[in-house]
Amino acid sequence: MGSPRLPGTPRLLRALNDRAALELLLSRGPLTRAQLGELTGLSKVTASQLVERLEERGLVTRVGEQAGGRGPNAQLYAVTPGSAYVIGAVVEADRVVASCADITGNVIGRAELSTKDTDEPVKVVHSAVVQAADSANADLGAVRRVVLGTPGLVDPSTGDITFAWNLPRWHRGLLAALREDLSTTVVFGNDVNLAAVAEAHEGAAKGVDDFVLIWAGGGMGLAVMLGGRLHEGSTGAAGEIGYLPVPGAPIPRDTYRRSKGAFQQVAGADAVRAVAREHGFRGSSAAEAVKAAIAAGTRGGPLLDELARRLALGVASSCVVLDPPLVVLAGEVGQAGGTALAERVQHEVAAITLVSPRVVATEVSGDPVLIGALRTALNAVRDEVFGSTVG
């Protein structure tokens, strides 16, 4: 007696083939039907049926011809850019920046709004999203997902923001209000976690499944990527390393009253500027002071050594638990310090712990939080659109 036939198997195979073809068209396209068949291992007939199916659904479009030998030229196909759109946005204390991308990942619209004249988050986000879509000539109804990168914690159970100290008007219930206002899927993402997504997609962690990203800037944060997936913790607080109890600063006992954690006191932007002044370097920001030390050559070495010792306290505390092969230094201070600071941190971590991860500076150009928001939105929407190609 043969094994029972699994219901829906041909349908599942068609869906898998469609998804594989769409991913190939995104990464290798435009392609002909024959090329798609060769790359997917499908027969000419099956590949032709696949293309017709995707074309009928508006996911694939003809974009030209490829001249060949005898007979008519072969049609070239690509993913239809306007089959879906996404918007990524970064919410800061004084502005909201939003970018619109089509499903191929091309960024085609942008808007930037000041929040100084309004304290209504729904209103300002609505305006930024609408303006970004308008500048891309994208119908708002075709925007399948909006991902908002914000400071603070994102509650995994509700998706709402908590403890975003520098966004006092952002509160529980805001997510539902934004979804109702925009009539589409809206998702909050922690800014440092989104920066790690950008780093994995196009930065120093490309092709690396396990790594941590240390955000050294106004605040101190950490993102943990394990097996290619973000680890956010049961309450969304994984990576709040500003609260690490490290030597060199008092440990606050009431973290809900906006008190600075010990590691934040030791290695945050305020501490960086203070240490820089002690070494004779000044700047309008912590990053500028670090850049001045880099430009000074050997004279800036002692400042970079001190910053590395401070940063290594947090990096070592994290790495001795997670033992990742790679640490990426990001944020304004991490970026400003570049390779000179990263190498010093790597040496210091290896000196004070049993682990010795490679420490590198971020390689993401542009706004990593915005790039990570767009990439997160694109991944989700492609799953939705490409994963439902078979009716």
Side-chain angles (χ1 to χ4, degrees), residues 244-251 262-263 265-267 309-310 312-314 317 352:
L244 273 177
V246 297
I251 300 170
F263 187 49
Q265 295 175 57
V266 166
R309 280 192 290 271
R310 290 170 177 243
L313 295 173
S317 297
I352 62 176

Side-chain angles (χ1 to χ4, degrees), residues 266-290:
V266 166
D270 290 344
V272 172
R273 293 184 71 181
V275 174
R277 283 194 299 270
E278 292 173 5
H279 285 79
F281 295 100
R282 296 180 179 272
S284 58
S285 65
E288 291 301 318
V290 173

Side-chain angles (χ1 to χ4, degrees), residues 72-334:
N73 292 341
Q75 296 287 334
L76 283 166
Y77 296 87
V79 173
T80 307
S83 55
Y85 298 93
V86 299
I87 288 178
V90 178
V91 181
E92 300 173 354
D94 60 350
R95 66 174 188 157
V96 174
V97 179
S99 287
C100 180
D102 61 38
I103 200 165
T104 70
N106 286 329
V107 178
I108 52 177
R110 189 179 189 276
E112 180 175 336
L113 275 74
S114 170
T115 57
K116 293 178 180 177
D117 298 328
T118 178
D119 60 358
E120 292 297 331
V122 173
K123 181 179 178 181
V124 71
V125 170
H126 173 94
S127 297
V129 167
V130 168
Q131 288 184 29
D134 284 348
S135 69
N137 292 318
D139 185 274
L140 197 58
V143 175
R144 298 284 294 260
R145 181 169 292 244
V146 177
V147 174
L148 301 172
T150 76
L153 308 187
V154 178
D155 187 330
S157 61
T158 66
D160 263 315
I161 294 175
T162 56
F163 305 120
W165 300 124
N166 57 343
L167 300 174
R169 296 282 296 183
W170 292 64
H171 52 76
R172 289 186 183 275
L174 180 58
L175 183 62
L178 285 168
R179 286 174 174 172
E180 182 179 359
D181 176 78
L182 293 169
S183 299
T184 192
T185 302
V186 180
V187 177
F188 288 138
N190 172 266
D191 51 5
V192 179
N193 284 340
L194 293 178
V197 171
E199 207 71 53
H201 175 65
E202 61 181 59
K206 189 173 183 179
V208 181
D209 286 338
D210 299 340
F211 72 93
V212 298
L213 179 141
I214 303 288
W215 187 271
M220 302 300 301
L222 173 139
V224 180
M225 193 76 77
L226 298 174
R229 296 172 62 88
L230 283 169
H231 176 72
E232 299 175 275
S234 60
T235 65
E240 291 296 320
I241 58 171
Y243 293 101
L244 273 177
V246 297
I251 300 170
R253 303 193 65 84
D254 190 352
T255 58
Y256 292 92
R257 293 189 178 277
R258 304 185 69 166
S259 51
K260 287 184 178 180
F263 187 49
Q264 174 70 31
Q265 295 175 57
V266 166
D270 290 344
V272 172
R273 293 184 71 181
V275 174
R277 283 194 299 270
E278 292 173 5
H279 285 79
F281 295 100
R282 296 180 179 272
S284 58
S285 65
E288 291 301 318
V290 173
K291 287 177 183 177
I294 296 286
T298 54
R299 190 169 69 84
L303 170 58
L304 296 177
D305 291 341
E306 175 61 23
L307 293 183
R309 280 192 290 271
R310 290 170 177 243
L311 285 169
L313 295 173
V315 176
S317 297
S318 307
C319 290
V320 80
V321 174
L322 298 168
D323 192 15
L326 178 69
V327 175
V328 180
L329 278 186
E332 62 177 70
V333 171

